């Protein structure tokens, strides 16, 4: 291995591997270091997203959704199934196969693009030197022209519920249960709590979700949050808001979780406790004292809008820097930095980062919520369309939810799009494109959508901003 590179990337999650691949595509001699080991103990690339995050959680979400459909909803559409069973080890093994296919894919992409993938821990020293500590053998020093830090994030732990990896687990442990626990509690009704709570609830666990805040999903448009809470409770998720977890005791193969709510001291006894109270940037072992990098008060690597750190030619991207902890946000930052190093001038548009919660129905949004627009004092108009009025949703027996479009009342420019419904994640991608091109609600109304599609609900919601929806009686709301 050469010990000189144009670019060294530390971390091969979606932010780091994308940066490394794009650098190599642009002709830069690039190495990417990652210390992760897979379930078989061998080095893996792909970071949290591929190994313990987006991909494995979606594999279990899809499998559990299919199981529930077969068990509870097939009869409604005239399909009778004699008996529907669950083979959890097989479900987990399939999830693992998907993960290893994806992580091997990254190794293949590194090879195909000429990125030198290195297994071990990378530490940034002074003057763009990087120390590589391989899993076995001696450390080496690599000299780089540019360094991109992409170390990602790890779960937050709270003192009342220390992770033991057996009864009390974090999101990684919650992807590995070998049987369906009878009783599960999740601390945190955030994205992970709702997604993994849904997985085990669909597979038959009684799930109690303990959330500290009084408000459900405060970052989501209030109408969507309200409707989704009702739906999730109807699905059997016992979501208890305003609960402060005070302690836990593991005894006789179960966990007793203590919490305080407006009634007083309470306990819930479960077989598994999942702690999902957020993630924090991971910078342990990353920075030598004289690396020249500063962290902000939250422990994130301090960067400007272009992901440049305080040290020349050192950049940081992904979960370890400010902004939402989302794979696609990190990927866009990684690609932007690679192109800037190569002399181009792209930007990341942080106004159009889409968010998705992969429950069923899904919740997806981009741009401002109605409460944000209202607080800012902007005058705005809202268009809404329910999936119950969508022919495709009716045909698919999947009619819960709405699409909501918020537009500027003066210019008609789209300010935000919020979807609760089937394939909301795919529909919101169309909203992102529209907003990237500064579309107005009228532009969307004038665009032809194929019939019958779920996307027509987005078209109709845009039409309804001006009171022109065809398949629903318009209730024009201007503010
Ligand atoms: P990471 O993916 O965390 O990768 C960082 C890598 O760097 C890791 O492999 C780490 O071991 C390595 N590393 C750290 N320090 C060093 C060092 N010093 N030397 C060498 N290697 C180092 N996001 C979405 O957008 N959509 C989803 O559906 C989604 N689902 C999720 C589900 C779960 C259960 C979880 C936990 C997260 C999910 N996320 C999702 C979030 C997403 O996984 C992260 O936003 C994303 O992985 C961040 O990418 P990253 O490259 O910044 O960091
Ligand atoms: P989160 O911030 O989404 O939710 C954490 C929840 O826990 C919050 O509602 C918070 O109020 C609550 N909480 C915090 N401390 C608590 C306590 N002591 N007791 C009770 N409740 C408490 O975090 P997460 O769900 O852990 O997810 C972490 C990150 O991973 C998120 O930032 C998210 O962006 C990312 N992620 C994204 C996806 C996706 O894009 N679909 C999926 C999973 C994770």
């Amino acid at each position: 291995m050469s010990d000189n590179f144009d670019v060294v990337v530390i971390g091969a999650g979606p932010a780091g591997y994308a940066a490394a691949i794009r650098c190599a595509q642009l002709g830069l001699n690039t190495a990417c270091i990652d210390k992760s080991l897979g379930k078989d103990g061998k080095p893996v690339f792909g970071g949290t997203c591929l190994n313990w995050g987006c991909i494995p959680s979606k594999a279990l979400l899809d499998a559990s959704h299919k199981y529930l459909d077969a068990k509870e909803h097939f009869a409604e559409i005239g399909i009778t199934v004699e008996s529907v069973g669950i083979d959890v080890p097989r479900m987990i093994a399939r999830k693992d196969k998907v993960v290893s296919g994806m992580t091997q894919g990254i190794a293949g992409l590194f090879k195909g693009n000429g990125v030198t993938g290195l297994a071990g821990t990378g530490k940034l020293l002074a003057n763009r030197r990087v120390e590589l500590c391989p899993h076995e053998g001696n450390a080496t020093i690599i000299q780089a022209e540019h360094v991109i830090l992409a170390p990602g994030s790890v779960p937050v732990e709270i003192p009342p519920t220390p992770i033991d990896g057996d009864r009390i687990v974090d999101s990684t442990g919650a992807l590995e249960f070998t049987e369906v626990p009878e009783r599960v509690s999740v601390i945190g009704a955030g994205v992970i709590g709702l997604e993994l709570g849904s997985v085990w609830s669909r597979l038959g666990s009684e799930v109690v979700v303990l959330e500290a805040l009084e408000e459900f999903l405060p970052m989501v448009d209030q109408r969507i949050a309200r409707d989704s809470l009702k739906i999730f409770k109807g699905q059997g998720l016992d979501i208890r808001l305003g609960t402060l977890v005070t302690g836990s005791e593991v005894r006789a193969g179960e966990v007793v979780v203590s919490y305080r709510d407006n009634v007083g001291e309470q306990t819930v006894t479960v077989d598994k406790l999942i702690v999902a109270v957020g993630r924090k940037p991971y910078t342990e072992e990353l920075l030598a004292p004289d690396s020249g990098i500063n962290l902000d008060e939250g422990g994130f690597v301090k960067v400007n809008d272009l992901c440049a750190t305080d040290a020349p030619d050192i950049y940081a991207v992904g979960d370890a820097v400010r902004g939402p902890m989302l794979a696609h946000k990190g990927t866009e930052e990684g690609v932007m930095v690679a192109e800037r190093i190569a002399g181009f001038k792209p930007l990341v548009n942080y106004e159009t980062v889409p968010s998705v919660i992969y429950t069923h129905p899904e919740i997806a949004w981009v741009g401002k919520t109605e409460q944000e627009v209202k607080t800012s004092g902007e005058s705005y108009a809202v268009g809404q369309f329910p999936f119950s009025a969508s022919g495709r949703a009716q045909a698919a027996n999947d009619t819960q939810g709405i699409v909501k479009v918020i537009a500027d009342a003066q210019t008609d420019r789209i300010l935000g799009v919020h979807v609760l419904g089937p394939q909301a994640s795919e529909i919101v991608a169309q909203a992102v494109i529209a907003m990237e091109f500064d579309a107005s609600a009228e532009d969307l109304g004038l665009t032809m959508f194929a019939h019958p599609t779920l996307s027509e609900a987005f078209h109709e919601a845009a039409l309804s901003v001006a009171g022109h929806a065809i398949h629903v009686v318009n209730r024009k709301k201007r503010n």
Side-chain angles (χ1 to χ4, degrees), residues 3-88:
D3 47 12
N4 284 288
F5 285 91
D6 293 330
V7 182
V8 171
V9 184
I10 303 181
Y17 77 65
I21 290 171
R22 191 71 190 116
C23 282
Q25 286 172 350
L26 290 162
L28 298 161
N29 183 19
T30 305
C32 185
I33 303 173
D34 199 292
K35 65 177 177 186
S36 296
L37 299 173
K39 269 173 102 171
D40 59 3
K42 295 197 180 128
V44 280
F45 297 122
T48 305
C49 170
L50 268 59
N51 290 289
W52 310 281
C54 321
I55 300 303
S57 60
K58 268 76 240 178
L60 295 186
L61 277 158
D62 281 342
S64 59
H65 179 65
K66 287 189 168 98
Y67 166 74
L68 193 68
D69 243 2
K71 189 163 153 268
E72 290 190 359
H73 303 300
F74 275 13
E76 294 162 13
I77 57 171
I79 300 173
T80 43
V81 185
E82 285 310 314
S83 83
V84 186
I86 310 174
D87 180 341
V88 176

Side-chain angles (χ1 to χ4, degrees), residues 9-17 33-37 44-58 61 118-124 131-132 149-155 171-172 175 191-192 195-196 279 282-287 317-321 324-331 333 354 356-358:
V9 184
I10 303 181
Y17 77 65
I33 303 173
D34 199 292
K35 65 177 177 186
S36 296
L37 299 173
V44 280
F45 297 122
T48 305
C49 170
L50 268 59
N51 290 289
W52 310 281
C54 321
I55 300 303
S57 60
K58 268 76 240 178
L61 277 158
L118 300 170
T121 302
K123 179 184 270 185
L124 180 68
E131 179 188 62
L132 168 66
L149 306 173
S153 63
V154 288
S171 58
T172 305
L175 297 168
V191 193
I192 294 182
E195 291 186 359
L196 295 183
R279 293 179 64 82
Y282 179 67
T283 53
E284 261 171 49
E285 300 177 283
L286 178 73
L287 305 170
V317 293
D319 278 13
V321 304
M325 288 183 167
L326 294 171
H328 41 282
K329 172 263 191 186
T331 299
E333 288 178 336
V356 180
I357 307 177
Y358 292 86

Side-chain angles (χ1 to χ4, degrees), residues 15 40 53 58 83 138 152 196 243 293 355-356 362 367 383 399 416 419 443:
D40 59 3
K58 268 76 240 178
S83 83
N138 297 326
L196 295 183
T243 58
I293 303 298
S355 295
V356 180
E362 291 178 346
T399 54
V419 189
D443 289 330

Side-chain angles (χ1 to χ4, degrees), residues 215 217-223 350-353 355 365-380 382 404 406-407 415-418 435 477 479:
E215 191 182 351
L217 295 179
M219 68 291 201
V220 170
D221 185 88
Q222 268 166 7
R223 159 86 200 263
Y350 289 99
E351 305 285 303
T352 55
V353 179
S355 295
W365 71 97
V366 58
K368 293 182 183 164
T369 59
E370 185 169 355
Q371 61 267 25
E372 281 170 340
V373 180
K374 199 178 271 175
T375 308
S376 72
E378 289 167 88
S379 61
Y380 65 96
V382 175
K404 178 167 170 181
I406 304 170
L415 302 174
V417 175
H418 305 271
M435 288 176 70
K477 185 175 172 194
N479 295 275

